[in-house]
Amino acid sequence: MSFIRTEDRDGVRVITLDNPPVNSLSFALSGELVPIVEAADKDDSVKAVVFVGANGIFSAGADVNDFSTEPTPETRTIRDVIATVERSNKIFVAAIQKNALGGGLELSLACDYRVATADTKVGLPEIKLGLLPGAGGTQRLPRLIGAQDALDMMLKGKNVKAADAKEKGILDEVVDSADALLDAALALALRQAKGDTGGGKRRISRRKVELGKGITAQAAPFIVSQAHKMVPAEDAGGFAAHKLIDAVEAAFELPFDFGIAREARLFEELARSAPSFALRHVFFAERELAKIPGLGDAKPHDIKRAGVIGAGTMGTGIAITFAQAGIPVAVIDSNADAVEKARQTVFGMFMYQVQKGRMTQEEAWKLGQSIQFTDDYNELADADVVIEAVFESMDVKKQVFAKLDAIVKPEGILASNTSTLDIDEMASVTKRPDKFVGLHFFVPANIMPLLEIVRGKDTSAQTLATAFKLGKALRKTAVLSTNAFGFIGNRMVFDYAKAAGALAEEGISPMRIDRVAKKFGFPMGPFAMGDLSGIDVAWHIAKARPDVAKGRTDVIDRLVEMKRLGQKTMAGYFKYDKSVGKGREPIADPEIEALFAEEAKKHGVAPREVSDEEILQRLVFALINRGAYLLEEGVALRPGDIDIVYIFGYGFPPHHGGPMWYADEVGVKHVYDKVVEFGWEPAPLLKKIAEANGTFAALKQGELVNA
Ligand code: T1G
């Protein structure tokens, strides 16, 4: 298969990259491209070269699949293409549409000029894969825009819009449309080939590294040491960041070619590092989510109008999410105070975006207008989807759905935002169980990226396909769950919380347990998380399903009796003080440690010494064991789905790849042995994989689970 097309236009060789869907610069494409660039360089009839991408995009960068294959001496990579461009004395122009990311941007930086369409975003996002820009980006970008800005852009892995990229000097021209792009690039190439505008050959490699506006060279060491201080420690997710800073330091200190060699060595070290393997797993797992067996050619409906029942925190957040996706939404609530509060929240949210310069006043006003508040259900007659977000009571929800079923057009989808209740039971009061689905948003719904799509026993393939299409439109990371108590994330967090409670009953302070979890990479520990979500919420769930969520003592009951419900009452597992961290900073409370000891004694739980290592194992292996159950129960489709849920919804450190990936990292047999040692009931699947010395990753190919 050919990945490259060439065409000569008035002495300019147009080289088109064509590797659908995103023109990833694979080893195969690079192998084809090197001789083509060499031929263009040697051909006297060629005055200049223009690179352009097919498939509506320039390039998404190197092919991430290639990093796990060992290159042979014959392998050509994007680095070889770039070195070939660098050696040529011809004028090279990159004509960029939509995206030039990673190696795609690095290829364009080896060119003398860059032209892009106005909708283009450029970036070096390699850090998100636990890598650094390994095709010259760490050496050229600092020479082009200054070290300070280059470090900021590469360490955040953020994409830059065309207008900003032009202002930074990354782009030379921006054109309004894709139709104008190639002509603009050809004209620029010819002008520069003639050399009559003074620009001519412009190798970035020949420039000196500027540190940044008004920063003198003597400050270089300071910039480097500051940058190292600003990123996480190497074993806490910052491994690639520190190596990237080392590569940029080489750009200051070494001649260009030496800097390139240093960058290549650091890249190879990262490509083989555990955090990078984990982050590349997350990259692909996220893109697997919507690939649901049996969905095949189900045609999703368009969602043009939406409805939300309930103007509480969840309902308002969901409504904002729809508005931000450009989908008009009607929010139904009979409680005037709730509606007023929701209006204020929406108004405040959009004004915040205006203050942050993320949107204009007019855009904010229009978005605000796209959310209609009313108490009249009949406004929903023409809605394509209606999401219920009322109190977590099955009776209340059933009343809502019976009413909706009589009003919403027959093809309208009815959905519940419930976090644990039975989707099928709700569907049973409607005449449309095939169009009934769970859409579990995470609070705050307009911020949290995770969405659990819950399939009822009668949910049709078309409804499911529509739900996934809606998830993408809402810019959510949507994961399929079947209809089981707590779905995926919450079902796992019950075990995680129980493991944390058990440790505290054995005399380990909640503060120490949280500290171990945070050292592993969680943004907050289990007790701070419990205080944030509310002790009363945990209490309700433990009452509804003691088999699933009740610990071995009555600490939660005691806390509720003491009205210590968490952050919202300034006391829960921890104390909170408005003058400390704006009342959100957990403060250890000896009274609670005494409560745990008292409850432990009452229930015959003996205190014991526990190492930090065991604390972490009991927290994380509880997640893994439950995840294994969810896989064999068919609640979760793939191990990677569970990883995505726990990373995006519960803050599992992405550089450990998610709970199931982490099990493979530490060894499933080791996890199994520890689960047995802790006295837990190991999931049969965990046992099966452990005995086969297998991995959860292998399950993706359907192995082991059928063993
Ligand atoms: N390699 C391989 N496959 C890729 C890919 C890549 N770089 N980017 C996307 N895909 C696949 C993806 O798996 C999916 O496959 C399909 O393309 C559509 O992707 C040397 C080392 C470009 C903004 O990190 O940000 O260059 O599911 O669903 O929402 O220094 O893809 O169809 O089978 O995301 O329209 C650095 C990653 C690489 C950019 C488009 N580049 N990609 O978003 O589509 S490392 C990146 C993206 C590198 C050099 C270094 C996005 C996108 P499938 P999608 P999208």
Side-chain angles (χ1 to χ4, degrees):
M1 174 188 174
S2 172
F3 299 106
I4 306 292
R5 294 198 303 274
T6 62
E7 176 198 2
D8 285 1
R9 301 265 294 262
D10 307 327
V12 178
R13 178 138 311 156
V14 178
I15 298 178
T16 302
L17 312 173
D18 188 359
N19 183 12
V22 295
N23 301 334
S24 52
L25 303 170
S26 61
F27 289 165
L29 180 145
S30 302
E32 191 180 341
L33 188 50
V34 167
I36 286 172
V37 174
E38 284 169 341
D41 179 48
K42 290 192 182 77
D43 185 331
D44 293 340
S45 72
V46 173
K47 301 189 190 68
V49 176
V50 168
F51 286 118
V52 67
N55 310 304
I57 180 172
F58 184 70
S59 170
D63 191 316
V64 184
N65 296 291
D66 284 343
F67 302 141
S68 309
T69 54
E70 206 48 45
T72 67
E74 294 69 48
T75 305
R76 288 286 169 272
T77 73
I78 186 58
R79 282 189 205 134
D80 298 303
V81 175
I82 288 171
T84 310
V85 172
E86 178 72 19
R87 282 194 296 271
S88 169
N89 290 318
K90 301 229 164 137
I91 299 289
F92 282 76
V93 175
I96 300 169
Q97 182 185 5
K98 190 183 170 208
N99 282 123
L101 301 175
L105 180 57
E106 290 171 298
L107 173 60
S108 79
L109 293 178
C111 296
D112 303 286
Y113 300 90
R114 288 155 291 282
V115 184
T117 51
D119 67 346
T120 287
K121 287 190 182 146
V122 299
L124 295 174
E126 288 86 342
I127 196 96
K128 293 180 181 169
L129 297 167
L131 300 168
L132 55 74
T138 64
Q139 308 301 306
R140 286 192 174 87
L141 195 63
R143 284 176 167 79
L144 187 61
I145 66 172
Q148 194 84 311
D149 278 359
L151 275 169
D152 181 57
M153 192 167 145
M154 292 188 283
L155 287 172
K156 286 183 187 149
K158 63 182 184 184
N159 294 346
V160 177
K161 289 187 187 134
D164 298 336
K166 181 156 186 318
E167 199 189 312
K168 286 176 185 293
I170 295 173
L171 298 175
D172 300 290
E173 270 183 47
V174 175
V175 296
D176 288 343
S177 69
D179 299 344
L181 178 63
L182 188 53
D183 288 348
L186 289 167
L188 175 57
L190 284 172
R191 269 200 319 277
Q192 296 306 340
K194 281 199 201 98
D196 58 5
T197 53
K201 190 73 189 160
R202 253 187 2 170
R203 288 184 181 84
I204 292 174
S205 58
R206 302 285 165 82
R207 296 186 187 200
K208 244 169 56 58
V209 176
E210 298 298 327
L211 294 175
K213 288 185 188 56
I215 305 177
T216 62
Q218 286 68 23
F222 174 74
I223 290 212
V224 168
S225 64
Q226 274 307 93
H228 280 298
K229 286 197 190 93
M230 303 285 279
V231 298
E234 290 202 1
D235 62 356
F239 190 58
H242 288 284
K243 301 300 173 192
L244 193 154
I245 297 165
D246 291 346
V248 172
E249 186 175 17
F252 300 153
E253 294 184 347
L254 301 173
F256 182 79
D257 290 345
F258 286 76
I260 287 286
R262 171 75 61 83
E263 174 196 85
R265 183 179 60 72
L266 292 166
F267 176 84
E268 292 312 324
E269 185 179 354
L270 290 175
R272 290 180 177 75
S273 69
S276 185
F277 277 110
L279 289 164
R280 284 152 28 207
H281 155 67
V282 173
F283 175 86
F284 286 117
E286 197 185 347
R287 286 162 178 80
E288 286 266 307
L289 295 172
K291 294 174 185 168
I292 314 289
L295 228 50
D297 47 9
K299 196 173 167 354
H301 279 308
D302 278 342
I303 301 284
K304 294 194 180 68
R305 272 181 59 74
V308 175
I309 310 296
T313 309
M314 279 315 284
T316 309
I318 293 169
I320 290 173
T321 306
F322 273 97
Q324 286 175 328
I327 301 172
V329 56
V331 181
I332 306 287
D333 200 304
S334 52
N335 176 330
D337 292 346
V339 170
E340 191 40 42
K341 189 162 179 293
R343 261 192 232 285
Q344 295 303 330
T345 306
V346 167
F347 179 76
M349 169 74 212
F350 290 133
M351 289 322 291
Y352 178 73
Q353 301 290 341
V354 172
Q355 280 155 15
K356 285 282 176 193
R358 291 180 196 143
M359 64 173 74
T360 62
Q361 192 99 12
E362 192 211 345
E363 283 164 340
W365 188 83
K366 260 172 65 186
L367 278 178
Q369 291 305 306
S370 70
I371 303 178
Q372 177 204 1
F373 290 97
T374 172
D375 58 4
D376 181 2
Y377 269 69
N378 291 311
E379 290 287 337
L380 300 177
D382 189 30
D384 300 297
V385 63
V386 180
I387 302 173
E388 163 274 317
V390 299
F391 181 62
E392 275 293 87
S393 145
M394 183 56 84
D395 292 345
V396 171
K397 291 178 188 294
K398 281 181 170 178
Q399 286 163 25
V400 165
F401 284 115
K403 204 168 168 184
L404 286 172
D405 197 37
I407 292 171
V408 176
K409 64 186 181 186
E411 64 275 25
I413 288 175
L414 301 183
S416 170
N417 170 60
T418 183
S419 55
T420 56
L421 299 180
D422 185 330
I423 294 293
D424 292 333
E425 190 176 342
M426 292 179 217
S428 68
V429 303
T430 74
K431 298 185 200 58
R432 62 181 89 188
D434 62 321
K435 294 185 178 60
F436 200 99
V437 72
L439 292 178
H440 177 217
F441 291 83
F442 286 71
V443 78
N446 52 303
I447 306 280
M448 288 297 282
L450 186 64
L451 172 65
E452 282 179 322
I453 294 178
V454 186
R455 175 181 219 165
K457 64 181 172 32
D458 299 320
T459 304
S460 71
Q462 184 171 45
T463 300
L464 216 48
T466 305
F468 271 92
K469 183 179 174 187
L470 174 63
K472 192 153 176 117
L474 298 178
R475 286 190 283 281
K476 292 294 176 190
T477 300
V479 185
L480 177 70
S481 169
T482 54
N483 176 35
F485 187 74
F487 311 135
I488 298 173
N490 280 346
R491 183 67 192 83
M492 291 170 71
V493 87
F494 300 150
D495 286 25
Y496 178 74
K498 280 201 294 190
L503 285 160
E505 288 155 1
E506 291 167 26
I508 317 305
S509 75
M511 191 57 87
R512 180 178 164 212
I513 296 164
D514 274 27
R515 202 177 301 125
V516 168
K518 284 170 68 176
K519 186 170 184 318
F520 179 67
F522 281 101
M524 64 172 67
F527 292 103
M529 188 165 79
D531 276 352
L532 182 64
S533 49
I535 308 285
D536 47 336
V537 171
W539 181 84
H540 273 294
I541 291 167
K543 283 286 165 278
R545 289 292 301 269
D547 58 319
V548 161
K550 173 134 179 48
R552 57 187 172 179
T553 69
D554 300 329
V555 165
I556 287 191
D557 301 69
R558 301 284 303 281
L559 286 169
V560 170
E561 286 153 20
M562 295 153 76
K563 299 204 181 338
R564 292 184 65 129
L565 306 183
Q567 263 193 37
K568 59 189 168 191
T569 55
M570 300 302 280
Y573 291 112
F574 298 113
K575 278 188 301 194
Y576 297 87
D577 181 323
K578 285 220 180 315
S579 64
V580 180
K582 297 195 190 95
R584 287 199 291 269
E585 179 73 29
I587 301 167
D589 185 348
E591 190 184 340
I592 295 305
E593 290 161 35
L595 172 65
F596 270 109
E598 187 188 320
E599 278 297 314
K601 196 156 179 258
K602 208 180 348 174
H603 291 80
V605 178
R608 54 189 284 270
E609 282 303 310
V610 180
S611 67
D612 282 4
E613 186 191 31
E614 181 182 329
I615 291 172
L616 181 65
Q617 287 170 345
R618 284 168 66 174
L619 294 176
V620 176
F621 293 3
L623 295 174
I624 296 167
N625 193 40
R626 182 54 53 195
Y629 275 113
L630 294 175
L631 284 168
E632 63 192 337
E633 292 156 5
V635 178
L637 192 56
R638 293 164 284 239
D641 289 27
I642 293 174
D643 290 334
I644 294 298
V645 164
Y646 230 77
I647 289 169
F648 283 75
Y650 299 80
F652 195 96
H655 63 274
H656 284 305
M660 312 320 280
W661 179 268
Y662 185 67
D664 290 351
E665 258 189 13
V666 299
V668 177
K669 174 91 175 57
H670 171 60
V671 174
Y672 171 73
D673 292 344
K674 282 292 175 187
V675 164
V676 171
E677 184 190 313
F678 297 149
W680 302 342
E681 191 53 44
L685 178 62
L686 184 73
K687 184 169 190 290
K688 199 182 291 179
I689 295 176
E691 286 170 349
N693 216 5
T695 62
F696 282 103
L699 278 188
K700 219 167 53 171
Q701 286 76 32
E703 294 163 24
L704 278 181
V705 69
N706 308 314

Coordinates of all heavy atoms in Angstrom, one line a residue, residues 639-686:
P639 N -10.8 -5.0 30.1 CA -10.0 -4.5 31.2 C -9.7 -3.0 31.0 O -9.7 -2.2 31.9 CB -8.7 -5.3 31.2 CG -9.1 -6.5 30.5 CD -10.2 -6.2 29.5
G640 N -9.4 -2.6 29.7 CA -9.1 -1.2 29.4 C -10.2 -0.3 29.7 O -10.0 0.9 30.2
D641 N -11.5 -0.8 29.6 CA -12.6 0.0 30.0 C -12.6 0.4 31.4 O -12.9 1.5 31.8 CB -13.9 -0.7 29.6 CG -14.2 -0.8 28.1 OD1 -13.2 -0.8 27.4 OD2 -15.4 -1.0 27.7
I642 N -12.3 -0.6 32.2 CA -12.2 -0.4 33.7 C -11.1 0.6 34.0 O -11.3 1.5 34.8 CB -12.0 -1.7 34.4 CG1 -13.2 -2.7 34.3 CG2 -11.6 -1.5 35.9 CD1 -13.0 -4.1 34.8
D643 N -10.0 0.5 33.3 CA -8.9 1.4 33.6 C -9.3 2.8 33.3 O -9.0 3.8 34.0 CB -7.7 1.0 32.7 CG -7.0 -0.3 33.2 OD1 -7.2 -0.6 34.4 OD2 -6.4 -1.0 32.3
I644 N -10.0 3.0 32.1 CA -10.5 4.4 31.8 C -11.5 4.9 32.8 O -11.3 6.1 33.2 CB -11.1 4.4 30.4 CG1 -10.1 4.0 29.3 CG2 -11.8 5.7 30.1 CD1 -9.0 5.0 29.1
V645 N -12.4 4.1 33.2 CA -13.4 4.5 34.3 C -12.6 5.0 35.5 O -12.9 6.1 36.0 CB -14.3 3.4 34.7 CG1 -15.0 3.7 36.0 CG2 -15.3 3.1 33.6
Y646 N -11.6 4.3 35.9 CA -11.0 4.6 37.2 C -10.0 5.8 37.1 O -9.8 6.5 38.0 CB -10.4 3.4 37.9 CG -10.9 3.3 39.3 CD1 -12.2 2.9 39.6 CD2 -10.1 3.9 40.3 CE1 -12.7 2.9 40.9 CE2 -10.6 3.9 41.6 CZ -11.9 3.5 41.9 OH -12.4 3.5 43.1
I647 N -9.5 5.9 35.9 CA -8.6 7.1 35.7 C -9.4 8.4 35.5 O -9.2 9.4 36.2 CB -7.7 6.9 34.4 CG1 -6.6 5.8 34.7 CG2 -7.0 8.1 34.0 CD1 -5.9 5.3 33.5
F648 N -10.4 8.3 34.6 CA -11.1 9.5 34.3 C -12.2 9.9 35.4 O -12.6 11.0 35.5 CB -11.8 9.4 33.0 CG -10.9 9.5 31.8 CD1 -10.0 8.5 31.4 CD2 -10.9 10.7 31.0 CE1 -9.2 8.6 30.4 CE2 -10.0 10.8 29.9 CZ -9.2 9.8 29.6
G649 N -12.6 8.9 36.1 CA -13.7 9.1 37.1 C -13.3 9.2 38.5 O -14.0 9.8 39.3
Y650 N -12.1 8.6 38.8 CA -11.8 8.5 40.2 C -10.3 8.9 40.5 O -9.8 8.6 41.6 CB -12.0 7.1 40.7 CG -13.5 6.7 40.6 CD1 -14.0 6.3 39.4 CD2 -14.4 6.8 41.7 CE1 -15.4 5.9 39.3 CE2 -15.7 6.5 41.6 CZ -16.2 6.0 40.3 OH -17.5 5.7 40.2
G651 N -9.6 9.4 39.5 CA -8.3 9.9 39.7 C -7.2 8.9 39.8 O -6.1 9.2 40.3
F652 N -7.4 7.6 39.3 CA -6.3 6.7 39.4 C -5.1 7.2 38.5 O -5.4 7.7 37.4 CB -6.8 5.3 38.8 CG -5.8 4.2 39.1 CD1 -6.1 3.3 40.1 CD2 -4.7 3.9 38.3 CE1 -5.2 2.3 40.4 CE2 -3.9 2.9 38.6 CZ -4.1 2.0 39.6
P653 N -3.9 7.2 39.0 CA -2.8 7.8 38.3 C -2.6 7.2 36.9 O -2.3 6.0 36.8 CB -1.6 7.6 39.2 CG -2.0 6.6 40.2 CD -3.5 6.6 40.3
P654 N -2.7 8.0 35.8 CA -2.7 7.5 34.5 C -1.3 6.9 34.2 O -1.2 5.9 33.4 CB -2.9 8.7 33.6 CG -2.9 9.9 34.4 CD -3.1 9.4 35.8
H655 N -0.2 7.3 34.9 CA 1.1 6.7 34.6 C 1.2 5.3 35.1 O 2.2 4.7 34.9 CB 2.2 7.6 35.1 CG 2.2 7.8 36.6 ND1 1.5 8.8 37.2 CD2 2.9 7.2 37.5 CE1 1.7 8.7 38.5 NE2 2.5 7.7 38.7
H656 N 0.2 4.8 35.8 CA 0.1 3.4 36.2 C -0.9 2.7 35.4 O -1.2 1.5 35.6 CB -0.2 3.3 37.7 CG 1.0 3.6 38.6 ND1 2.2 2.9 38.5 CD2 1.1 4.5 39.6 CE1 3.0 3.4 39.4 NE2 2.4 4.3 40.1
G657 N -1.5 3.4 34.4 CA -2.4 2.7 33.4 C -3.7 2.3 33.8 O -4.5 1.8 33.0
G658 N -4.1 2.5 35.1 CA -5.4 2.0 35.6 C -5.3 0.8 36.4 O -4.2 0.1 36.3
P659 N -6.3 0.4 37.1 CA -6.2 -0.8 38.1 C -5.8 -2.1 37.3 O -4.9 -2.8 37.8 CB -7.5 -0.9 38.7 CG -8.2 0.4 38.5 CD -7.6 1.0 37.3
M660 N -6.4 -2.4 36.2 CA -6.2 -3.7 35.6 C -4.8 -3.7 34.9 O -4.1 -4.7 34.9 CB -7.3 -4.0 34.6 CG -8.7 -3.8 35.1 SD -8.9 -4.4 36.8 CE -9.1 -6.1 36.6
W661 N -4.4 -2.6 34.3 CA -3.0 -2.5 33.7 C -2.0 -2.6 34.9 O -1.0 -3.3 34.7 CB -2.8 -1.1 33.0 CG -1.5 -1.0 32.4 CD1 -0.4 -0.4 33.0 CD2 -1.0 -1.4 31.2 NE1 0.7 -0.5 32.2 CE2 0.3 -1.1 31.0 CE3 -1.7 -2.1 30.1 CZ2 1.1 -1.4 29.9 CZ3 -0.9 -2.4 29.0 CH2 0.4 -2.1 28.9
Y662 N -2.3 -2.0 36.0 CA -1.3 -2.0 37.1 C -1.2 -3.5 37.6 O -0.1 -3.9 38.0 CB -1.8 -1.1 38.2 CG -0.9 -1.0 39.4 CD1 0.3 -0.4 39.3 CD2 -1.2 -1.6 40.7 CE1 1.2 -0.3 40.3 CE2 -0.3 -1.5 41.7 CZ 0.9 -0.9 41.6 OH 1.7 -0.8 42.6
A663 N -2.3 -4.2 37.6 CA -2.2 -5.7 38.0 C -1.2 -6.4 37.1 O -0.4 -7.2 37.6 CB -3.6 -6.3 37.9
D664 N -1.2 -6.1 35.8 CA -0.2 -6.7 34.9 C 1.2 -6.3 35.2 O 2.1 -7.0 35.2 CB -0.6 -6.4 33.4 CG -1.8 -7.1 33.0 OD1 -2.3 -8.0 33.7 OD2 -2.3 -6.8 31.9
E665 N 1.3 -5.0 35.6 CA 2.6 -4.4 35.9 C 3.2 -5.1 37.1 O 4.4 -5.5 37.1 CB 2.5 -2.9 36.3 CG 2.9 -1.9 35.2 CD 2.9 -0.5 35.7 OE1 2.9 -0.2 36.9 OE2 3.0 0.4 34.8
V666 N 2.4 -5.3 38.2 CA 3.0 -5.9 39.4 C 2.9 -7.4 39.4 O 3.5 -8.1 40.1 CB 2.3 -5.4 40.7 CG1 2.5 -3.9 40.8 CG2 0.8 -5.8 40.7
G667 N 2.1 -8.0 38.4 CA 2.0 -9.4 38.3 C 0.7 -9.9 38.9 O 0.5 -9.7 40.1
V668 N -0.1 -10.5 38.0 CA -1.5 -10.9 38.5 C -1.3 -12.0 39.6 O -2.1 -12.0 40.6 CB -2.3 -11.4 37.3 CG1 -3.6 -12.0 37.8 CG2 -2.5 -10.3 36.3
K669 N -0.3 -12.8 39.5 CA -0.1 -13.9 40.5 C 0.1 -13.2 41.8 O -0.4 -13.6 42.9 CB 1.1 -14.8 40.1 CG 1.5 -15.8 41.0 CD 0.8 -17.1 40.8 CE 1.3 -18.3 41.7 NZ 1.3 -18.0 43.1
H670 N 1.0 -12.2 41.8 CA 1.3 -11.5 43.1 C 0.0 -10.9 43.7 O -0.3 -11.0 44.9 CB 2.3 -10.4 42.8 CG 2.5 -9.4 43.9 ND1 3.1 -9.9 45.1 CD2 2.4 -8.1 44.0 CE1 3.2 -8.8 45.9 NE2 2.8 -7.7 45.3
V671 N -0.8 -10.3 42.8 CA -2.1 -9.7 43.3 C -3.0 -10.8 43.9 O -3.5 -10.7 45.0 CB -2.9 -9.0 42.2 CG1 -4.2 -8.5 42.6 CG2 -2.1 -7.8 41.6
Y672 N -3.1 -11.9 43.2 CA -3.9 -13.0 43.6 C -3.4 -13.6 45.0 O -4.2 -13.7 45.9 CB -3.9 -14.2 42.6 CG -4.6 -15.4 43.1 CD1 -6.0 -15.5 43.2 CD2 -3.8 -16.5 43.5 CE1 -6.6 -16.6 43.7 CE2 -4.4 -17.7 44.0 CZ -5.8 -17.7 44.1 OH -6.4 -18.9 44.6
D673 N -2.1 -13.8 45.1 CA -1.6 -14.3 46.4 C -1.9 -13.3 47.5 O -2.3 -13.7 48.6 CB -0.1 -14.5 46.3 CG 0.3 -15.6 45.3 OD1 -0.6 -16.4 45.0 OD2 1.5 -15.7 44.9
K674 N -1.8 -12.0 47.3 CA -2.1 -11.0 48.3 C -3.6 -11.0 48.7 O -3.9 -10.9 49.8 CB -1.6 -9.6 47.9 CG -0.2 -9.4 47.9 CD 0.3 -9.4 49.4 CE 1.7 -9.2 49.6 NZ 2.1 -9.4 51.0
V675 N -4.4 -11.1 47.7 CA -5.9 -11.1 47.9 C -6.2 -12.3 48.8 O -7.0 -12.2 49.8 CB -6.6 -11.2 46.6 CG1 -8.1 -11.6 46.8 CG2 -6.6 -9.9 45.8
V676 N -5.6 -13.4 48.6 CA -5.8 -14.6 49.4 C -5.3 -14.4 50.8 O -5.9 -14.6 51.9 CB -5.2 -15.9 48.8 CG1 -5.2 -17.0 49.8 CG2 -5.9 -16.2 47.5
E677 N -4.1 -13.8 50.9 CA -3.4 -13.5 52.2 C -4.3 -12.5 53.0 O -4.4 -12.6 54.2 CB -2.1 -12.9 51.9 CG -1.2 -12.6 53.2 CD 0.0 -11.7 52.8 OE1 0.7 -12.1 51.8 OE2 0.2 -10.7 53.5
F678 N -5.0 -11.6 52.3 CA -5.8 -10.6 53.1 C -7.1 -11.2 53.5 O -7.9 -10.6 54.1 CB -6.1 -9.4 52.2 CG -4.8 -8.6 51.8 CD1 -4.8 -7.9 50.6 CD2 -3.7 -8.5 52.6 CE1 -3.7 -7.1 50.2 CE2 -2.6 -7.8 52.3 CZ -2.5 -7.1 51.1
G679 N -7.4 -12.4 53.1 CA -8.6 -13.1 53.5 C -9.8 -12.7 52.7 O -10.9 -12.9 53.1
W680 N -9.6 -12.1 51.5 CA -10.7 -11.8 50.6 C -11.1 -12.9 49.7 O -10.3 -13.8 49.5 CB -10.4 -10.6 49.8 CG -9.9 -9.3 50.5 CD1 -10.1 -9.0 51.8 CD2 -9.2 -8.2 49.9 NE1 -9.6 -7.8 52.1 CE2 -9.0 -7.3 51.0 CE3 -8.7 -8.0 48.7 CZ2 -8.3 -6.1 50.8 CZ3 -8.0 -6.8 48.5 CH2 -7.8 -5.9 49.5
E681 N -12.3 -12.9 49.1 CA -12.7 -13.9 48.2 C -12.2 -13.5 46.8 O -12.6 -12.5 46.2 CB -14.3 -13.9 48.1 CG -14.9 -15.0 47.4 CD -14.4 -16.4 47.9 OE1 -14.3 -16.5 49.2 OE2 -14.0 -17.2 47.1
P682 N -11.2 -14.2 46.3 CA -10.6 -13.8 45.0 C -11.6 -14.1 43.9 O -12.3 -15.1 43.9 CB -9.4 -14.7 44.9 CG -9.6 -15.9 45.8 CD -10.5 -15.4 46.9
A683 N -11.6 -13.2 42.9 CA -12.5 -13.4 41.7 C -12.0 -14.6 41.0 O -10.7 -14.7 40.8 CB -12.4 -12.1 40.8
P684 N -12.8 -15.5 40.6 CA -12.4 -16.7 39.8 C -11.5 -16.3 38.6 O -10.5 -17.0 38.3 CB -13.7 -17.3 39.4 CG -14.7 -16.9 40.4 CD -14.3 -15.5 40.8
L685 N -11.8 -15.2 38.0 CA -11.0 -14.8 36.8 C -9.6 -14.4 37.2 O -8.6 -14.7 36.5 CB -11.7 -13.6 36.1 CG -10.9 -13.1 34.8 CD1 -10.8 -14.1 33.8 CD2 -11.6 -11.8 34.3
L686 N -9.5 -13.8 38.4 CA -8.2 -13.4 38.9 C -7.4 -14.6 39.1 O -6.2 -14.7 38.7 CB -8.3 -12.6 40.2 CG -7.1 -12.1 40.8 CD1 -6.5 -10.9 40.0 CD2 -7.3 -11.6 42.3

